[in-house]
Amino acid sequence: MSPRLLALWLKEVIALSRDRHGLMALFIMPTIFILVMTMALRDAFTPGTTIDAPYVVVDLDHSTHSQSLIRRLEKTASFQRVAADDDAEGARQGIATGRQALALVLPKGFGERLLTPSGADGQPTEPLQLMVDPTLNPALQLAFRNQVMATLGALRADELTQRAGKLFGLPTIPGAQAEKEWPDEIISVAVRNDSNVRPPSSVQQNVPAWLIFAMFFVVIPVSSIFITERQQGTLQRLRSMGVPFRLILAGKLLPFFVVNQLQALLMVTVGMFVVPLFGSEALEMPGTLTQLGNWLAVSTAVSLAAVAWALLIASIARTSEQATVVGGVGNILMGAIGGIMVPKFVMPAGMQTLAGFSPMSWALDGFHMVMLRHGSFADLLPSLAKLLAFAILALTAAIWLNQRAVATRS
Amino acid sequence: MLSVDSLSYRYESAAAPALDNVSLNIPAGGIYGLLGPNGAGKTTLISLIAGLLNLSTGRITLGGEPLATARAAQPRAIALVPQDYAFYPMLTTRENLRFFGGTLGLAGNELATQVEHVIAFARLEQVVGKRAEQLSGGLRRRLNLAIGLLGKPQLLLLDEPTVGVDPQSRHFLLESIAALPAAGTTVVYTSHYMEEVEAICQRIAIIDQGHLLAEGTLENILHSPQPLLEIHLDRSLPVELAERYGAQAIASSKYRLELPAAAELPRLLDELAGHGCLVRDLSFGQHNLEQVFMRLTNRSLRD
C-alpha cells in the first residue's frame, strides 16, 4: 500500500471524525428521518386499513333493527366507533370538541318503519341524520355515508327475506337473529403501474430513501475539507510536493465510500431492529447471497455517485457556506423530485417523468428492484449504469474545473 | 545550482506576461532574496520553480538538469513553503507533520525521525498535540516552515515566511532560516521586509512587472553608481543649492541630492554652513535596500 494514499486516507478520517456537524448530517439526521417518516406514513401505503376518523351512533330507537345496524356498521370496521350516550345534542358537542368526526342519529321508530316508504301510510318517516365535522376530508364523509347506505340496504334485505320467508314458507332458523353475511364483501387489491408487486411498505420506502438522501449528504464534509484545502493553499502545497490530483481524489473517494457503507449498515439496522420497537413492521433484507450482492452493488453505485457529486460541488463552490447551501439545496431538490420525500408511486404521471431525472430516483429504483422485486443483476443494470455515468460525469467535471482553476490563477 | 534562463510566462486570458524574459542564477549554499512589489511576478517565478505551473517559454535547470527531469529523479529536491498556512487546521501539529511526511512517501522509521527532527528544528515540542487552528500566528509560521523541511530539500522556496508574526517569532524564524544553508539547503526567500532580506540574503534579484531589474550580490546591488546624499537640515534647503544639486524633498527639511562626485561633499557642507543651515543627519554613498528598491521600481506604490 502506498504510504501517500494511506496518509491521505488517514487525514480524511481524522478530519471527518472532528467534524461534528458533518457527522450529524451523515448519521443522526437520516436515523431520525427514518423513524419519523416510517411512523408518519405507516398506514399511508396500504389499502383497506382503518381510517382514523371516529364516529358515534345515537340510537333513539332502541329496537333490534337499530342494534343490528350498529353491529353491522361496526363489523365493516373502516371507521372507528366510540361509545356515546343516546343524546343528539351530546353528539353534536362531541363533534364540536373534536371527540369524534361523525355522528349518525337513528330516529325513534327507525325499526318499525324500516320497510315503509315515507308517506306510504300517510305518516312521515323521520330521516336518519348524519352530523359531520366540516374539516373531515369530503371523500371520507361520502365514504361513511355510503357505508351507512350499504348497511341499511343489507338490513332491509334481511328483513325482507325474513318476512317473505314467513310468507312463502321458506325455511328459517327459529329464534335466530337474521344477520346474514351477504356475499358483497369487496377486497381491495393494489394494482400499481406495470407490475403486480405490492407497493413498498412504509419501512421499505423510507429506509432506502433516507439512506440515499444521507449518502448524498457527504457533500457537506467532503466540500468543507476540500474547500479548506483549496483556500489554505494545501492543495497547491500537495501539488508542489508532486502529489497528482487523481491521487488526492482517490484519497477522498475511499474514506467517504466507507462512510457511505457504514451509513447503509446503520440505516438497515435501524429499519430491522429499531423501527419495530415503535410499532411498525421491520425491514426485511434480501435473503440470498446473490441478492445481498446485488444490494451491495446498488449501494456501491449510489456511493460513487454521491461522492463524485460532492467533489463537483466542492469544486464549484468558493466558500464552504456556498457548498453547504448549493449542496444542501441540490440534495433536497433531488430528493423532492426523486421520490425520497414523497414516494414516486403516489405522484401524478408528469411528476413521475420528472423524477426520472433525479439520481436519487435511480438509486431508489435500484434498491426497490432488489428489495421488492428480487430482481437479478441484469434488472439492476439500468439503475447502476445511470448512477455510474453520473459519477463519471461529475468526477470529470470536477477534475476539469480544478485544472482550469490552476491554469487561470494569477 | 538552479538556473533560470530567458523565462517568460503568461496566464491564460491575461493581457501582459507575468514574467518576461527573466534569467537568474541561484548558487548552491546560500540565501537568495527575491524582491518585488505585489504583482511583480515573484509568486509566478516560485510557482514555476516549484512545478505548480508548466513551463512554456524559457528553461529552468537544477544541478544542470532540466527541472522536470530533476524533479522526477528527486521528487523531494525542491520544497515550497507557501505564504498561506498550507496545512490542516483540524489536525494537530504532529498529525499534520505525519500527513505531509506520508505524502512525500516517507514511512516507518524515516518518517518518525524526520518528524522529530523538524519538530526540534522549529521548536514545536510544546504544541505537538495541539490542533493547528489553536496555534498562534508565529507557531503557525513555524509549522508551515517545518512541513517544508520534512523532505530534506536541496532547495527551499519561502514565500513571505514572516508575515503576521510577533518580533520574537520573526527573530527566531530568521535565525533558523539563516542556519539552513549550513545544513545543506539552499533557500530562495521572498519578502516585503527589506531589512529581513538585507540581514540574511547574500544574493538578491529585484523584479517588477515581470522584468528583472537587478540581480547580484547584496553588496553590488547596494553600491550606487551615482553618489546619492540624503540630508536632514534644521530648516529648508536654500533655493540656490536645491537647484544646483537637483534636490528632491523627501520629508520636511529632508532632501535627496545628486552629487557629481564624492569630492563635492565638503564644499556642499561649507556652503550649507555659510547659509546658516545646521545638518542634523546625513547619509552618503552606500544605500540601503529599500532606497534601491524604491528607485528601481520608480517608487510607485501598488496595493
Side-chain angles (χ1 to χ4, degrees), chain B residues 186-256:
Chain B
T186 306
V187 178
V188 173
Y189 189 95
T190 80
S191 178
H192 280 130
Y193 300 111
M194 302 297 162
E195 70 283 2
E196 283 182 4
V197 175
E198 233 177 315
I200 64 169
C201 297
Q202 289 85 45
R203 282 182 80 88
I204 58 167
I206 298 177
I207 56 175
D208 189 22
Q209 294 178 329
H211 296 277
L212 182 70
L213 300 180
E215 204 241 342
T217 61
L218 188 66
E219 258 171 46
N220 283 342
I221 298 256
L222 293 184
H223 175 79
S224 173
Q226 183 182 35
L228 271 190
L229 173 71
E230 274 188 15
I231 193 162
H232 188 186
L233 303 173
D234 67 336
R235 64 192 70 186
S236 298
L237 185 67
V239 182
E240 177 203 337
L241 293 178
E243 277 175 5
R244 192 191 313 157
Y245 294 104
Q248 279 181 316
I250 48 178
S252 153
S253 311
K254 212 169 175 180
Y255 302 90
R256 184 173 295 140

Side-chain angles (χ1 to χ4, degrees), chain A residues 76-93:
Chain A
T76 59
S78 295
F79 293 81
Q80 293 162 358
R81 178 166 173 247
V82 287
D85 294 334
D86 291 328
D87 164 20
E89 192 46 42
R92 184 189 297 277
Q93 291 295 328

Side-chain angles (χ1 to χ4, degrees), chain A residues 330-354:
Chain A
N331 278 358
I332 289 167
L333 278 180
M334 277 202 276
I337 68 165
I340 300 295
M341 298 177 185
V342 179
K344 209 160 65 167
F345 67 84
V346 305
M347 291 180 181
M351 288 303 290
Q352 292 203 13
T353 315
L354 186 64

Side-chain angles (χ1 to χ4, degrees), chain A residues 75-131:
Chain A
K75 237 188 205 169
T76 59
S78 295
F79 293 81
Q80 293 162 358
R81 178 166 173 247
V82 287
D85 294 334
D86 291 328
D87 164 20
E89 192 46 42
R92 184 189 297 277
Q93 291 295 328
I95 292 178
T97 57
R99 184 168 166 267
Q100 69 258 2
L102 299 147
L104 178 67
V105 183
L106 304 178
K108 206 163 168 49
F110 164 77
E112 239 167 67
R113 300 187 64 84
L114 189 63
L115 293 176
T116 316
S118 181
D121 54 359
Q123 284 178 25
T125 303
E126 216 180 315
L128 274 68
Q129 197 186 11
L130 179 60
M131 296 188 267

Side-chain angles (χ1 to χ4, degrees), chain B residues 62-63 65-78 104 154:
Chain B
L62 181 70
E65 282 185 86
L67 188 64
T69 320
R71 285 179 65 88
Q74 296 168 283
R76 299 177 208 155
I78 300 179
L104 282 170
Q154 297 166 27

